[in-house]
Amino acid sequence: MSGHEEPGYVDRFVGACLRVLGGVLALYVAVYLVQSILWPLILIVGGGALGWLIVVVIRTLRERW
């Protein structure tokens, strides 16, 4: 015998519950972190997009004339 026995149904159930709990906690922390940086992130990305749009418009207008 190898001394290793298969885990029972209760052990599997408890293991699955602990994995689900760990996943829920990880998701909670991820959502909390995203919420804490959401507005600065929107401002940075929006400002970058606006700057890029201005550069594209200026280049397009210069090439036309």
Side-chain angles (χ1 to χ4, degrees), residues 11-45:
D11 291 331
R12 287 182 176 178
F13 180 72
V14 169
C17 288
L18 289 175
R19 283 191 292 273
V20 168
L21 180 63
V24 167
L25 287 174
L27 185 60
Y28 177 79
V29 170
V31 168
Y32 177 77
L33 289 175
V34 168
Q35 282 180 343
S36 67
I37 64 167
L38 185 62
W39 287 112
L41 183 64
I42 288 174
L43 292 174
I44 291 169
V45 171

